[in-house]
Amino acid sequence: MTRAIQQPRTRPSTSPGWVTGGVVFAGVLMLCNGVLAVLQGIAAIADDDNVYGGVGDYVYRIGLTGWGWIHLVIGVCVAITGAGVLRGADWARYVGILFASLSLVAQFLFLPYAPVWSVIMIAIDLFVIWALAMYRPGTGRVAEF
């Protein structure tokens, strides 16, 4: 009597659906994040005294007009890169990680002016960085570390 050779049980391969979905979601979040950062920047530039409260002695103190320009520029760059991610551009993944990182740092430094909003934006930036870093185009697989 012959016994059939049994293959060892392995975990099924990662489904490309959720990985691709995460990158698409990251692209949409980048578009939204960029537009909201532009609006945040415009609010700080145009009418900063009525929108954001004054902050006392802060180590990383930049005038609200300066913060407005920083958010405006980063927001435009993030939105353009988000559109590139949605189009599947190869450059957009790496540039997206860079701009999401810059956005994260800018929101961290902006914490005293809008603490709750900054924490929400930091969480979104972290997800975007994770999703773009884990996706491997063409393979549909998650990066293995």
Side-chain angles (χ1 to χ4, degrees):
M1 210 192 241
T2 38
R3 293 176 67 178
I5 300 175
Q6 289 186 340
Q7 297 292 330
R9 290 185 181 187
T10 59
R11 291 181 21 186
S13 63
T14 304
S15 169
W18 75 268
V19 175
T20 304
V23 172
V24 170
F25 186 53
V28 171
L29 283 177
M30 288 178 74
L31 277 173
C32 294
N33 188 357
V35 169
L36 292 173
V38 166
L39 295 174
Q40 185 179 14
I42 291 171
I45 292 168
D47 198 12
D48 56 2
D49 293 333
N50 294 324
V51 177
Y52 298 106
V55 174
D57 199 19
Y58 181 51
V59 175
Y60 303 109
R61 187 171 179 131
I62 297 175
L64 277 172
T65 303
W67 279 118
W69 283 106
I70 290 169
H71 286 299
L72 184 70
V73 170
I74 290 175
V76 167
C77 293
V78 168
I80 290 170
T81 307
V85 167
L86 290 175
R87 290 179 183 243
D90 291 333
W91 60 268
R93 267 189 53 235
Y94 301 107
V95 175
I97 291 170
L98 172 73
F99 284 132
S101 300
L102 288 176
S103 174
L104 186 145
V105 170
Q107 290 296 336
F108 175 77
L109 295 175
F110 199 68
L111 270 168
Y113 296 98
V116 174
W117 182 250
S118 292
V119 169
I120 291 168
M121 297 304 279
I122 287 170
I124 289 171
D125 288 331
L126 285 171
F127 173 78
V128 167
I129 293 167
W130 174 82
L132 295 178
M134 296 303 284
Y135 179 64
R136 296 293 178 251
T139 64
R141 295 184 331 162
V142 175
E144 296 179 17
F145 294 101

